[in-house]
Amino acid sequence: MSDPDGPEGPSRGRMTLIEHLTELRRRLIVSLIALACGFVACWVLYPQILDFLTAPYCEVVPPDAEGLDAPGSCRLLVLDPLEPFAVRVSVAGYGGAALAMPVLLWQAWRFVTPALYRRERLFALAFVVAASLLFAGGAALAFWSIPRALGFLATVGGEDLVSFFSPRRYLSFVVKMALAFGLGFEFPIVLIFGQIAGIVPTAALRRVRPWAAVGIVVVGAVITPTGDPFTLLALSVPMYAFYEISILFGVLRRRRKEREEAAEGRPAAAVEPGAGGLR
């Protein structure tokens, strides 16, 4: 689609309503095709995907286990005749959405960018890339912490309890863990773009550090599905580290702005209280 206003101005405003709807329909069709292709691919690769998802469960199987939990089998207990089909559909659906996500983001990006100025496009692109990488990093950390969480949950009730997981509940647990960690890792994006937009002052973030630490632990306890200490620690520590990184970003951004204003011969803008350094 052409951009008659050039790189500095939006062109979407010159489109008619019909052109808007036609463009939206085209983007939606491409997105649906990508979702369908991802669904089919994950349906075919379901055995390999299921082995990958059950790997954390296999790590906590006792070496002397027998029956359904025999070493090397790591089988899940099916309690419903329709459950295997429902699990395969769920795995194909979630996996297909994950595979199609780059296409979905690209289609959304191409639909929105003609209406943005060049500076806005750069901010939006940085936001999408950073949010995607952080979410992926959070999901990877969740997958790493699942065996530790399962090990704690399997033993906290005592030796008289034997753990057998149904596939639907187990996969739901894995998905919730990935979502909790992925969303938790979006925390610095919110703080950094809040500072850029002038909504969240850096000095205010520094003043509420103790309360922020407590709030992060509380939020981590709420959004994690297990509630065990290991999972809470695995999520809370990176979130607080991101909090400190966002403060550092605000301080460095302020100092750069002051240097630019000094180089241009303009009086420096009023500095936020307590924003002169890191304490």
Side-chain angles (χ1 to χ4, degrees), residues 56 60 137-154 156 172-185 216-240:
V60 299
L141 180 61
F143 199 79
W144 174 83
S145 66
I146 285 175
R148 287 83 184 167
L150 287 177
F152 172 82
L153 296 173
V156 70
S172 175
F173 166 76
V174 172
V175 170
K176 288 178 180 177
M177 284 282 289
L179 287 176
F181 276 73
L183 294 176
F185 271 47
I216 287 171
V217 174
V218 171
V219 171
V222 171
I223 66 177
T224 52
T226 62
D228 66 280
F230 181 86
T231 304
L232 180 60
L233 185 65
L235 180 60
S236 299
V237 171
M239 285 184 66
Y240 186 76

Side-chain angles (χ1 to χ4, degrees), residues 16-260:
T16 65
L17 177 60
I18 300 299
E19 290 173 332
H20 274 287
L21 296 177
T22 302
E23 176 76 2
L24 178 60
R25 183 184 65 178
R26 187 166 68 88
R27 302 295 178 188
L28 289 177
I29 290 175
V30 174
S31 300
L32 290 175
I33 293 175
L35 286 171
C37 293
F39 180 91
V40 172
C42 291
W43 181 276
V44 174
L45 298 174
Y46 169 77
Q48 292 79 8
I49 297 175
L50 186 62
D51 289 341
F52 175 77
L53 294 176
T54 55
Y57 172 54
C58 295
E59 291 187 26
V60 299
V61 173
D64 57 348
E66 299 178 355
L68 290 173
D69 260 349
S73 62
C74 307
R75 290 178 290 182
L76 302 172
L77 182 62
V78 175
L79 302 175
D80 185 343
L82 298 178
E83 191 169 9
F85 177 78
V87 168
R88 187 159 190 161
V89 171
S90 298
V91 170
Y94 284 120
L99 288 179
M101 191 57 63
V103 178
L104 301 181
L105 293 177
W106 175 253
Q107 294 302 315
W109 171 253
R110 292 299 298 161
F111 181 74
V112 172
T113 48
L116 301 177
Y117 291 96
R118 180 161 56 182
R119 182 177 178 84
E120 294 172 334
R121 295 179 189 178
L122 293 177
F123 277 127
L125 180 60
F127 176 83
V128 170
V129 172
S132 301
L133 293 177
L134 286 172
F135 189 91
L141 180 61
F143 199 79
W144 174 83
S145 66
I146 285 175
R148 287 83 184 167
L150 287 177
F152 172 82
L153 296 173
T155 58
V156 70
E159 297 181 355
D160 295 332
L161 302 181
V162 180
S163 298
F164 293 109
F165 304 127
S166 72
R168 184 178 300 177
R169 291 178 181 266
Y170 172 77
L171 294 176
S172 175
F173 166 76
V174 172
V175 170
K176 288 178 180 177
M177 284 282 289
L179 287 176
F181 276 73
L183 294 176
F185 271 47
E186 301 299 319
F187 186 52
I189 297 294
V190 176
L191 294 181
I192 288 176
F193 277 85
Q195 293 179 82
I196 292 176
I199 302 174
V200 182
T202 304
L205 293 178
R206 296 169 60 186
R207 285 196 302 267
V208 299
R209 267 191 180 115
W211 297 103
V214 175
I216 287 171
V217 174
V218 171
V219 171
V222 171
I223 66 177
T224 52
T226 62
D228 66 280
F230 181 86
T231 304
L232 180 60
L233 185 65
L235 180 60
S236 299
V237 171
M239 285 184 66
Y240 186 76
F242 287 143
Y243 185 86
E244 292 292 339
I245 291 173
S246 67
I247 293 177
L248 177 62
F249 168 85
V251 172
L252 295 178
R253 176 172 174 268
R254 184 66 193 178
R255 290 176 178 174
R256 187 191 65 180
K257 183 178 295 186
E258 290 175 351
R259 288 196 299 268
E260 291 175 352

